[in-house]
Amino acid sequence: MSHDSTAAPEAAARKLSGRRRKEIVAVLLFSGGPIFESSIPLSVFGIDRQDAGVPRYRLLVCAGEEGPLRTTGGLELTAPNGLEAISRAGTVVVPAWRSITSPPPEEALDALRRAHEEGARIVGLCTGAFVLAAAGLLDGRPATTHWMYAPTLAKRYPSVHVDPRELFVDDGDVLTSAGTAAGIDLCLHIVRTDHGNEAAGALARRLVVPPRRSGGQERYLDRSLPEEIGADPLAEVVAWALEHLHEQFDVETLAARAYMSRRTFDRRFRSLTGSAPLQWLITQRVLQAQRLLETSDYSVDEVAGRCGFRSPVALRGHFRRQLGSSPAAYRAAYRARRPQNDKPGDHHDGPHGVPGPSPMAPEHAPVPLQARRTAAASALAPSASMSTEGAKPELYATGRLPGQRSAP
């Protein structure tokens, strides 16, 4: 799923200053950045594919700080341009930032602010959203980033409306994406916006990726919340909730355990995690249901009861909304892909009938009390179970999207 904002009228009406050109894309690189994310805009906007029907962009690779720039793996890069080259670009892309805890160089932030003031489209891929936020370009706007860093982005920049569910967010003149492959989704979206579906489809076929993915980050989310929550009093409440998912309780129960009013609890929880507590609780129950469907032979009705849902109907509704599949179809597809020597019932029941680790699934058993304050920082939503693995190559050659997979 992507979010295309109906952006503010003033954003839609913005014009590029005279020295900027719409077809010029500047990619801003920093030392310590991951090379994969950094290479995405270089590949999308820097290679001439006019023979395939893809309009050409002019790429400017710019160093955001003094070089040489060292990437993951110790590679050294020398960017051909400095920050001054950004002044010619109609689009500026920040593909990644090396650390979500350290501030970007002020000179780079100033260059981004000037570019935005002069009408340039500003794009942050993955942790590049932190650079845009530091420049103040996301204030009051919807944005996303890698699900693992979304809570930290929401906490550090409370004026940013962080949505960890989206693959990318288009807010007109400022765009952000989730991690890694979602950067490709956003770059394809930019090509689609600039030149139409046919051009984006042609580029997608060259890259051997779907032209447009449906769904969002929910299917990839882990239990891990940001480490900052480990020292917060709410960590104990989160830990308790994770240990008692088999019980029927609501957000009011959690607020009472935190000795807060519901309104205060909602505000505090969202500031720490970037997620509303009710949505967090529902996604945790769905995640627990995923585990049980993968590692046990319990019926769907039994799974619903063991995950705190009031009825199997409630489980089915939330499961389908989050994962695009019914629980029964999810289990069938999961087992169809399971190695031959794995048996459906190979599990050992832990507390409350929740199965323990099995060869088919990573361990998600409750953690010891002393570790829970850190692990309780762990809970935004479902696991990385669903993928486009198994999609047939010929689907990309014809420009047809592979069918939406309802389960892994």
Side-chain angles (χ1 to χ4, degrees):
M1 179 186 300
S2 64
H3 173 71
D4 298 332
S5 172
T6 54
E10 59 270 20
R14 296 179 52 153
K15 301 290 185 182
L16 281 175
S17 69
R19 59 180 175 174
R20 294 183 181 274
R21 295 291 179 267
K22 183 177 180 180
E23 71 277 9
I24 298 180
V25 177
V27 177
L28 188 58
L29 299 181
F30 297 97
S31 191
I35 192 167
F36 183 61
E37 284 84 345
S38 300
S39 69
I40 290 171
L42 304 184
S43 178
V44 170
F45 301 112
I47 298 177
D48 185 353
R49 298 185 177 93
Q50 294 180 89
D51 62 321
V54 181
R56 185 175 184 180
Y57 289 87
R58 290 178 56 198
L59 179 71
L60 298 175
V61 182
C62 305
E65 56 194 339
E66 290 295 322
L69 309 178
R70 291 177 174 81
T71 72
T72 50
L75 296 177
E76 287 192 357
L77 303 177
T78 301
N81 301 285
L83 288 171
E84 70 285 347
I86 291 178
S87 63
R88 292 181 277 153
T91 299
V92 182
V93 182
V94 184
W97 173 238
R98 60 175 167 263
S99 170
I100 62 173
T101 60
S102 62
E106 191 59 39
E107 295 82 358
L109 299 181
D110 287 340
L112 289 172
R113 295 183 191 110
R114 282 195 302 273
H116 183 254
E117 289 169 0
E118 294 176 359
R121 175 173 53 189
I122 311 297
V123 181
L125 308 183
C126 192
T127 53
F130 283 81
V131 180
L132 273 58
L137 301 182
L138 297 182
D139 290 351
R141 291 178 178 265
T144 193
T145 188
H146 192 294
W147 58 261
M148 188 165 61
Y149 306 125
T152 302
L153 183 65
K155 180 180 179 181
R156 188 156 295 148
Y157 301 100
S159 61
V160 181
H161 306 310
V162 180
D163 189 342
R165 299 168 299 176
E166 303 290 356
L167 289 177
F168 63 83
V169 172
D170 179 346
D171 196 43
D173 55 348
V174 178
L175 302 87
T176 51
S177 83
T180 314
I184 301 176
D185 294 316
L186 180 50
C187 289
L188 283 173
H189 170 74
I190 291 172
V191 174
R192 185 180 303 110
T193 300
D194 290 348
H195 302 292
N197 289 328
E198 188 173 344
L203 176 57
R205 288 192 293 277
R206 277 294 184 94
L207 298 176
V208 197
V209 297
R212 191 195 302 262
R213 285 196 295 165
S214 59
Q217 292 194 80
E218 293 102 326
R219 63 188 71 177
Y220 306 108
L221 299 182
D222 194 341
R223 287 173 68 95
S224 302
L225 289 175
E227 292 183 0
E228 290 104 323
I229 196 176
D232 191 277
L234 282 190
E236 294 289 358
V237 177
V238 171
W240 182 89
L242 293 175
E243 291 287 333
H244 294 80
L245 289 174
H246 61 287
E247 300 177 8
Q248 290 185 10
F249 60 87
D250 53 21
V251 177
E252 281 75 11
T253 302
L254 299 181
R257 293 190 66 87
Y259 302 101
M260 297 178 185
S261 68
R262 171 65 188 270
R263 183 175 180 180
T264 300
F265 180 79
D266 282 5
R267 184 174 63 251
R268 180 67 177 148
F269 193 96
R270 186 184 289 275
S271 71
L272 281 170
T273 70
S275 175
L278 179 59
Q279 183 59 43
W280 176 86
L281 183 57
I282 291 171
T283 54
Q284 290 313 299
R285 294 195 190 284
V286 170
L287 177 57
Q288 185 78 313
Q290 278 186 279
R291 298 187 192 110
L292 289 174
L293 291 167
E294 293 170 0
T295 61
S296 78
D297 289 318
Y298 297 130
S299 69
V300 172
D301 288 15
E302 289 175 312
V303 169
R306 289 170 183 268
C307 296
F309 288 104
R310 297 185 183 278
S311 70
V313 173
L315 167 62
R316 291 187 180 96
H318 289 301
F319 200 95
R320 183 174 291 279
R321 274 191 292 275
Q322 291 196 22
L323 297 176
S325 167
S326 69
Y330 178 91
R331 169 178 273 167
Y334 180 87
R335 290 185 175 177
R337 288 179 56 190
R338 191 183 64 247
Q340 294 285 339
N341 57 351
D342 284 341
K343 300 178 182 179
D346 285 350
H347 71 272
H348 302 285
D349 281 355
H352 321 301
V354 176
S358 78
M360 327 181 237
E363 181 173 354
H364 288 291
V367 294
L369 178 61
Q370 63 269 25
R372 288 202 318 240
R373 290 184 64 86
T374 300
S378 126
L380 287 179
S383 65
S385 321
M386 299 177 68
S387 72
T388 55
E389 180 180 343
K392 298 180 180 180
E394 58 267 26
L395 295 177
Y396 300 100
T398 61
R400 290 184 288 119
L401 277 169
Q404 174 65 33
R405 297 182 64 86
S406 61

